[in-house]
mmCIF file with all atom_site columns, all heavy atoms in Angstrom:
data_model
loop_
_atom_site.group_PDB
_atom_site.id
_atom_site.type_symbol
_atom_site.label_atom_id
_atom_site.label_alt_id
_atom_site.label_comp_id
_atom_site.label_asym_id
_atom_site.label_entity_id
_atom_site.label_seq_id
_atom_site.pdbx_PDB_ins_code
_atom_site.Cartn_x
_atom_site.Cartn_y
_atom_site.Cartn_z
_atom_site.occupancy
_atom_site.B_iso_or_equiv
_atom_site.pdbx_formal_charge
_atom_site.auth_seq_id
_atom_site.auth_comp_id
_atom_site.auth_asym_id
_atom_site.auth_atom_id
_atom_site.pdbx_PDB_model_num
ATOM 1  N N   . PRO A 1 231 ? -1.349  -122.137 102.500 1.00 78.00 ? 231 PRO A N   1
ATOM 2  C CA  . PRO A 1 231 ? -0.793  -120.832 102.154 1.00 78.00 ? 231 PRO A CA  1
ATOM 3  C C   . PRO A 1 231 ? -0.371  -120.805 100.658 1.00 78.00 ? 231 PRO A C   1
ATOM 4  O O   . PRO A 1 231 ? -0.438  -119.763 99.993  1.00 78.00 ? 231 PRO A O   1
ATOM 5  C CB  . PRO A 1 231 ? 0.436   -120.743 103.002 1.00 78.00 ? 231 PRO A CB  1
ATOM 6  C CG  . PRO A 1 231 ? 0.192   -121.478 104.171 1.00 78.00 ? 231 PRO A CG  1
ATOM 7  C CD  . PRO A 1 231 ? -0.592  -122.650 103.711 1.00 78.00 ? 231 PRO A CD  1
ATOM 8  N N   . SER A 1 232 ? -0.058  -121.962 100.052 1.00 81.00 ? 232 SER A N   1
ATOM 9  C CA  . SER A 1 232 ? 0.348   -121.964 98.598  1.00 81.00 ? 232 SER A CA  1
ATOM 10 C C   . SER A 1 232 ? -0.824  -122.158 97.705  1.00 81.00 ? 232 SER A C   1
ATOM 11 O O   . SER A 1 232 ? -0.623  -122.022 96.482  1.00 81.00 ? 232 SER A O   1
ATOM 12 C CB  . SER A 1 232 ? 1.335   -123.175 98.443  1.00 81.00 ? 232 SER A CB  1
ATOM 13 O OG  . SER A 1 232 ? 0.755   -124.367 98.653  1.00 81.00 ? 232 SER A OG  1
ATOM 14 N N   . ALA A 1 233 ? -1.991  -122.365 98.263  1.00 87.00 ? 233 ALA A N   1
ATOM 15 C CA  . ALA A 1 233 ? -3.202  -122.450 97.314  1.00 87.00 ? 233 ALA A CA  1
ATOM 16 C C   . ALA A 1 233 ? -3.507  -121.125 96.732  1.00 87.00 ? 233 ALA A C   1
ATOM 17 O O   . ALA A 1 233 ? -3.410  -120.061 97.367  1.00 87.00 ? 233 ALA A O   1
ATOM 18 C CB  . ALA A 1 233 ? -4.365  -123.007 98.134  1.00 87.00 ? 233 ALA A CB  1
ATOM 19 N N   . GLN A 1 234 ? -4.024  -121.165 95.502  1.00 88.00 ? 234 GLN A N   1
ATOM 20 C CA  . GLN A 1 234 ? -4.421  -119.945 94.833  1.00 88.00 ? 234 GLN A CA  1
ATOM 21 C C   . GLN A 1 234 ? -5.698  -119.330 95.500  1.00 88.00 ? 234 GLN A C   1
ATOM 22 O O   . GLN A 1 234 ? -5.879  -118.149 95.591  1.00 88.00 ? 234 GLN A O   1
ATOM 23 C CB  . GLN A 1 234 ? -4.816  -120.209 93.333  1.00 88.00 ? 234 GLN A CB  1
ATOM 24 C CG  . GLN A 1 234 ? -5.168  -118.985 92.521  1.00 88.00 ? 234 GLN A CG  1
ATOM 25 C CD  . GLN A 1 234 ? -4.072  -117.964 92.400  1.00 88.00 ? 234 GLN A CD  1
ATOM 26 O OE1 . GLN A 1 234 ? -2.932  -118.347 92.518  1.00 88.00 ? 234 GLN A OE1 1
ATOM 27 N NE2 . GLN A 1 234 ? -4.386  -116.731 92.344  1.00 88.00 ? 234 GLN A NE2 1
ATOM 28 N N   . ALA A 1 235 ? -6.489  -120.203 95.992  1.00 90.00 ? 235 ALA A N   1
ATOM 29 C CA  . ALA A 1 235 ? -7.727  -119.752 96.725  1.00 90.00 ? 235 ALA A CA  1
ATOM 30 C C   . ALA A 1 235 ? -8.102  -120.723 97.795  1.00 90.00 ? 235 ALA A C   1
ATOM 31 O O   . ALA A 1 235 ? -7.957  -121.991 97.581  1.00 90.00 ? 235 ALA A O   1
ATOM 32 C CB  . ALA A 1 235 ? -8.895  -119.503 95.755  1.00 90.00 ? 235 ALA A CB  1
ATOM 33 N N   . ILE A 1 236 ? -8.696  -120.264 98.921  1.00 91.00 ? 236 ILE A N   1
ATOM 34 C CA  . ILE A 1 236 ? -9.193  -121.107 99.956  1.00 91.00 ? 236 ILE A CA  1
ATOM 35 C C   . ILE A 1 236 ? -10.682 -120.854 99.920  1.00 91.00 ? 236 ILE A C   1
ATOM 36 O O   . ILE A 1 236 ? -11.182 -119.781 100.042 1.00 91.00 ? 236 ILE A O   1
ATOM 37 C CB  . ILE A 1 236 ? -8.588  -120.795 101.312 1.00 91.00 ? 236 ILE A CB  1
ATOM 38 C CG1 . ILE A 1 236 ? -7.087  -121.129 101.304 1.00 91.00 ? 236 ILE A CG1 1
ATOM 39 C CG2 . ILE A 1 236 ? -9.319  -121.580 102.406 1.00 91.00 ? 236 ILE A CG2 1
ATOM 40 C CD1 . ILE A 1 236 ? -6.489  -120.758 102.654 1.00 91.00 ? 236 ILE A CD1 1
ATOM 41 N N   . ILE A 1 237 ? -11.497 -121.978 99.838  1.00 93.00 ? 237 ILE A N   1
ATOM 42 C CA  . ILE A 1 237 ? -12.943 -121.863 99.926  1.00 93.00 ? 237 ILE A CA  1
ATOM 43 C C   . ILE A 1 237 ? -13.325 -122.496 101.336 1.00 93.00 ? 237 ILE A C   1
ATOM 44 O O   . ILE A 1 237 ? -13.114 -123.728 101.573 1.00 93.00 ? 237 ILE A O   1
ATOM 45 C CB  . ILE A 1 237 ? -13.642 -122.642 98.833  1.00 93.00 ? 237 ILE A CB  1
ATOM 46 C CG1 . ILE A 1 237 ? -13.303 -121.952 97.483  1.00 93.00 ? 237 ILE A CG1 1
ATOM 47 C CG2 . ILE A 1 237 ? -15.076 -122.712 99.027  1.00 93.00 ? 237 ILE A CG2 1
ATOM 48 C CD1 . ILE A 1 237 ? -12.155 -122.455 96.734  1.00 93.00 ? 237 ILE A CD1 1
ATOM 49 N N   . PHE A 1 238 ? -13.786 -121.701 102.202 1.00 93.00 ? 238 PHE A N   1
ATOM 50 C CA  . PHE A 1 238 ? -14.151 -122.082 103.548 1.00 93.00 ? 238 PHE A CA  1
ATOM 51 C C   . PHE A 1 238 ? -15.660 -122.194 103.673 1.00 93.00 ? 238 PHE A C   1
ATOM 52 O O   . PHE A 1 238 ? -16.365 -121.207 103.428 1.00 93.00 ? 238 PHE A O   1
ATOM 53 C CB  . PHE A 1 238 ? -13.555 -121.032 104.564 1.00 93.00 ? 238 PHE A CB  1
ATOM 54 C CG  . PHE A 1 238 ? -13.953 -121.295 106.014 1.00 93.00 ? 238 PHE A CG  1
ATOM 55 C CD1 . PHE A 1 238 ? -13.543 -122.486 106.604 1.00 93.00 ? 238 PHE A CD1 1
ATOM 56 C CD2 . PHE A 1 238 ? -14.631 -120.348 106.685 1.00 93.00 ? 238 PHE A CD2 1
ATOM 57 C CE1 . PHE A 1 238 ? -13.842 -122.728 107.925 1.00 93.00 ? 238 PHE A CE1 1
ATOM 58 C CE2 . PHE A 1 238 ? -14.915 -120.573 108.047 1.00 93.00 ? 238 PHE A CE2 1
ATOM 59 C CZ  . PHE A 1 238 ? -14.520 -121.779 108.726 1.00 93.00 ? 238 PHE A CZ  1
ATOM 60 N N   . LEU A 1 239 ? -16.084 -123.387 104.142 1.00 94.00 ? 239 LEU A N   1
ATOM 61 C CA  . LEU A 1 239 ? -17.525 -123.674 104.159 1.00 94.00 ? 239 LEU A CA  1
ATOM 62 C C   . LEU A 1 239 ? -18.101 -123.557 105.539 1.00 94.00 ? 239 LEU A C   1
ATOM 63 O O   . LEU A 1 239 ? -17.509 -124.062 106.516 1.00 94.00 ? 239 LEU A O   1
ATOM 64 C CB  . LEU A 1 239 ? -17.822 -125.054 103.620 1.00 94.00 ? 239 LEU A CB  1
ATOM 65 C CG  . LEU A 1 239 ? -17.993 -125.127 102.035 1.00 94.00 ? 239 LEU A CG  1
ATOM 66 C CD1 . LEU A 1 239 ? -16.613 -125.039 101.393 1.00 94.00 ? 239 LEU A CD1 1
ATOM 67 C CD2 . LEU A 1 239 ? -18.746 -126.356 101.656 1.00 94.00 ? 239 LEU A CD2 1
ATOM 68 N N   . LEU A 1 240 ? -19.302 -122.976 105.592 1.00 93.00 ? 240 LEU A N   1
ATOM 69 C CA  . LEU A 1 240 ? -20.132 -122.961 106.853 1.00 93.00 ? 240 LEU A CA  1
ATOM 70 C C   . LEU A 1 240 ? -21.411 -123.702 106.440 1.00 93.00 ? 240 LEU A C   1
ATOM 71 O O   . LEU A 1 240 ? -21.742 -123.816 105.254 1.00 93.00 ? 240 LEU A O   1
ATOM 72 C CB  . LEU A 1 240 ? -20.372 -121.551 107.292 1.00 93.00 ? 240 LEU A CB  1
ATOM 73 C CG  . LEU A 1 240 ? -19.216 -120.602 107.551 1.00 93.00 ? 240 LEU A CG  1
ATOM 74 C CD1 . LEU A 1 240 ? -19.824 -119.185 107.663 1.00 93.00 ? 240 LEU A CD1 1
ATOM 75 C CD2 . LEU A 1 240 ? -18.465 -121.051 108.803 1.00 93.00 ? 240 LEU A CD2 1
ATOM 76 N N   . ALA A 1 241 ? -22.127 -124.082 107.465 1.00 92.00 ? 241 ALA A N   1
ATOM 77 C CA  . ALA A 1 241 ? -23.519 -124.641 107.231 1.00 92.00 ? 241 ALA A CA  1
ATOM 78 C C   . ALA A 1 241 ? -24.520 -123.532 107.518 1.00 92.00 ? 241 ALA A C   1
ATOM 79 O O   . ALA A 1 241 ? -24.378 -122.857 108.570 1.00 92.00 ? 241 ALA A O   1
ATOM 80 C CB  . ALA A 1 241 ? -23.787 -125.807 108.063 1.00 92.00 ? 241 ALA A CB  1
ATOM 81 N N   . ALA A 1 242 ? -25.393 -123.346 106.598 1.00 91.00 ? 242 ALA A N   1
ATOM 82 C CA  . ALA A 1 242 ? -26.415 -122.166 106.719 1.00 91.00 ? 242 ALA A CA  1
ATOM 83 C C   . ALA A 1 242 ? -27.264 -122.378 107.997 1.00 91.00 ? 242 ALA A C   1
ATOM 84 O O   . ALA A 1 242 ? -27.644 -121.383 108.617 1.00 91.00 ? 242 ALA A O   1
ATOM 85 C CB  . ALA A 1 242 ? -27.245 -122.012 105.458 1.00 91.00 ? 242 ALA A CB  1
#
Side-chain angles (χ1 to χ4, degrees):
S232 64
Q234 182 63 27
I236 295 177
I237 294 91
F238 177 59
L239 275 77
L240 305 168

